[in-house]
């Protein structure tokens, strides 16, 4: 199980005061030193947190996997080809949203998405699509020839509930609504793996809900940001990464 830490909200904090700190590149180093396997950053069209200079510096600095999330637009694809991250994850994006809402609509958009996927792959960049755990979206993604899909776990996380886990929580069964979402994720992951896709997952994951999710054996990578940065307020960034790794280890099948 690979854990990639999304460092967007380190940049959010920096930008709130217009200071050069905290530096998301420094945060990336801390996360990797704490045991994370890679770094994720979302370069939004409005540059609300990560900015172009951050992307360039991350690419120049990181010697581990660098996953760049972006909208499927000509501008973003050109920037990715120039920067050459290890992975580009194409995500839906609306300027008025607080965070990414829902998965990419792959069904019915093969032509527009296909040209972007082809351009990235021609530049030797691995392509992942952030999609809902829906079999039709999985099949449409595989038809585009991408290497990976990232399943949107937001509905599962919301149904599971938030807050810090306790020893009692770990003994409780998954809430029934979350169980339904867990089953959807498991079915999509299994189907995608059968089609030859690598399966990642992310959105809304916390130390409270990640253990149950990683019981899905087909999922081999997680992208987690907000919860880790939030936990870092109380336990340091190093401590937050290690706590997430420990929660994953508890839930992962042996």
């Amino acid at each position: 199980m690979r854990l990639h830490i999304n460092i967007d909200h380190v940049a959010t904090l920096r930008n709130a005061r217009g200071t050069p700190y905290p530096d998301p590149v420094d945060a990336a180093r801390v996360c990797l030193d704490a045991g994370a396997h890679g770094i994720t950053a979302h370069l939004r069209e409005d540059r609300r947190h990560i900015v172009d200079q951050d992307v360039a510096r991350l690419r120049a600095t990181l010697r581990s996997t660098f996953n760049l999330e972006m909208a499927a637009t000509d501008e973003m694809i050109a920037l990715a080809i120039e920067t050459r991250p290890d992975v580009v994850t194409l995500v839906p994006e609306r300027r008025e949203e607080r965070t990414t809402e829902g998965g990419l609509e792959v069904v019915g958009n093969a032509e527009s998405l296909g040209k972007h996927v082809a351009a990235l792959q021609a530049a030797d960049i691995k392509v992942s699509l952030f999609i809902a755990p829906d079999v039709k979206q999985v099949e449409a993604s595989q038809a585009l020839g991408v290497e990976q899909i990232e399943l949107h776990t937001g509905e599962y996380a919301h149904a599971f509930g938030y807050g810090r886990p306790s020893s009692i929580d770990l003994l409780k069964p998954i809430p029934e609504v979350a169980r339904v979402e867990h089953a959807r994720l498991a079915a999509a992951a299994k189907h995608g793996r059968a089609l030859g896709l690598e399966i990642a997952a992310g959105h809304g994951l916390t130390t409270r809900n990640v253990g149950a999710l990683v019981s899905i054996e087909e999922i081999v990578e997680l992208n987690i940001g907000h919860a880790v940065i939030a936990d870092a307020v109380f336990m340091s960034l190093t401590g937050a990464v290690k706590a997430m790794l420990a929660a994953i280890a508890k839930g992962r099948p042996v």
Side-chain angles (χ1 to χ4, degrees):
M1 173 65 71
R2 304 188 301 268
L3 173 62
H4 292 179
I5 303 296
N6 185 312
I7 44 84
D8 289 354
H9 295 303
V10 177
T12 300
L13 182 58
R14 174 197 63 191
N15 297 351
R17 289 291 293 269
T19 60
Y21 64 88
D23 184 353
V25 177
D26 287 343
R29 294 192 188 100
V30 172
C31 291
L32 294 171
D33 288 345
H37 305 93
I39 297 297
T40 296
H42 184 174
L43 183 67
R44 282 182 168 268
E45 292 182 273
D46 61 10
R47 310 311 200 260
R48 70 175 65 169
H49 36 60
I50 295 295
V51 296
D52 298 52
Q53 186 180 17
D54 295 327
V55 173
R57 292 176 60 230
L58 286 164
R59 176 65 292 171
T61 302
L62 295 179
R63 295 294 176 264
S64 61
T65 301
F66 177 31
N67 171 31
L68 186 58
E69 297 179 341
M70 58 175 54
T73 66
D74 291 342
E75 177 203 7
M76 289 296 164
I77 300 304
L79 189 147
I81 291 172
E82 179 182 356
T83 307
R84 300 296 179 97
D86 301 291
V87 186
V88 162
T89 300
L90 297 178
V91 302
E93 187 174 310
R94 294 187 302 114
R95 295 204 177 195
E96 63 271 24
E97 67 188 1
R98 289 186 178 184
T99 185
T100 305
E101 299 172 355
L104 192 66
E105 187 59 46
V106 185
V107 175
N109 289 297
E111 183 176 353
S112 59
L113 286 172
K115 69 174 184 178
H116 294 316
V117 170
L120 291 166
Q121 291 178 331
D124 198 27
I125 298 171
K126 179 179 176 180
V127 181
S128 180
L129 301 181
F130 185 71
I131 63 171
D134 177 88
V135 168
K136 291 183 179 179
Q137 299 293 345
V138 172
E139 292 175 346
S141 298
Q142 190 272 340
L144 287 180
V146 300
E147 296 90 336
Q148 183 187 76
I149 54 173
E150 180 178 350
L151 299 177
H152 184 293
T153 56
E155 292 182 17
Y156 160 79
H158 181 69
F160 201 105
Y162 297 98
R164 298 186 62 76
S166 68
S167 58
I168 295 176
D169 287 329
L170 296 176
L171 298 175
K172 292 179 179 179
I174 303 174
E176 184 56 36
V177 179
R179 191 180 299 279
V180 172
E181 293 303 324
H182 186 280
R184 287 182 66 214
L185 286 159
K190 184 175 182 178
H191 191 60
R193 190 70 198 97
L195 293 176
L197 293 166
E198 184 178 66
I199 312 300
H203 201 80
L205 297 177
T206 68
T207 53
R208 183 177 183 181
N209 60 41
V210 75
L213 179 76
V214 298
S215 66
I216 302 172
E217 296 184 17
E218 290 79 8
I219 297 174
V220 297
E221 177 184 302
L222 299 176
N223 289 283
I224 304 177
H226 183 266
V228 171
I229 304 307
D231 284 348
V233 173
F234 302 100
M235 61 175 65
S236 82
L237 187 52
T238 295
V241 172
K242 289 184 175 181
M244 185 61 72
L245 288 166
I248 291 168
K250 286 182 180 179
R252 191 66 171 171
V254 176

